Amino acid sequence: MGALVTLDLPADAPALTLPWIITFGPLDDEEEWEPVVCGPYERAHALALAEAVVADEDLMAVVEPLQPHVTVAQIQGDIAAARMAAENEDVETAALDAELADTEYHDHDHGEDEDHTHEPPSVDEIRAGFARIAAKLTS
């Protein structure tokens, strides 16, 4: 039997209405493979799918909301909030997180990707991307 991890949110939390994704990965450190990310789904569907997949497998499923941010400032705000929350954890948890951060390194060669730019897309470009994604999901 696997494990399912998700946020414990109050019934009126705005995040409950967002699209949710599921990230499936190995349950223990002995297995090494790239996680599989699925979605977006409504939260109830994401939880049900994740529960069904991990029920008979030694997998971990992380179910979390997608944040439809359209500006760099919104993303930076969430990063700052996550960092502040981490700083407020107890010393043991923070020490364990620091140890894991030091040992986990993902070497990703970005190379010369012609489609990759260093300028963030505009709000209109991002919203147009949302519309294209929605069209793909509903076709």
Side-chain angles (χ1 to χ4, degrees), residues 68-84:
H69 296 321
V70 293
T71 67
V72 171
Q74 289 173 325
I75 296 168
Q76 290 170 330
D78 266 6
I79 292 168
R83 285 179 171 158
M84 286 176 44

Side-chain angles (χ1 to χ4, degrees), residues 89-133:
E89 292 180 2
D90 63 26
V91 176
E92 287 181 34
T93 303
L96 177 60
D97 288 345
E99 182 180 320
L100 290 174
D102 288 341
T103 59
E104 293 180 11
Y105 177 73
H106 180 72
D107 184 19
H108 182 76
D109 182 17
H110 291 278
E112 294 296 321
D113 185 359
E114 293 179 18
D115 292 332
H116 179 74
T117 64
H118 295 286
E119 293 296 319
S122 70
V123 170
D124 289 338
E125 290 170 327
I126 291 172
R127 291 182 197 270
F130 288 165
R132 288 188 298 272
I133 291 168

Side-chain angles (χ1 to χ4, degrees), residues 24-49:
F24 295 100
L27 188 58
D28 60 48
D29 293 334
E30 292 177 17
E31 281 190 80
E32 289 189 28
W33 45 274
E34 290 295 317
V36 174
V37 180
C38 304
Y41 306 105
E42 291 179 331
R43 184 173 188 266
H45 293 165
L47 288 170
L49 288 166

Side-chain angles (χ1 to χ4, degrees), residues 52-85:
V53 171
V54 302
D56 297 323
E57 302 240 11
D58 287 336
L59 298 172
M60 175 177 286
V62 178
V63 178
E64 58 193 336
L66 285 172
Q67 300 296 328
H69 296 321
V70 293
T71 67
V72 171
Q74 289 173 325
I75 296 168
Q76 290 170 330
D78 266 6
I79 292 168
R83 285 179 171 158
M84 286 176 44

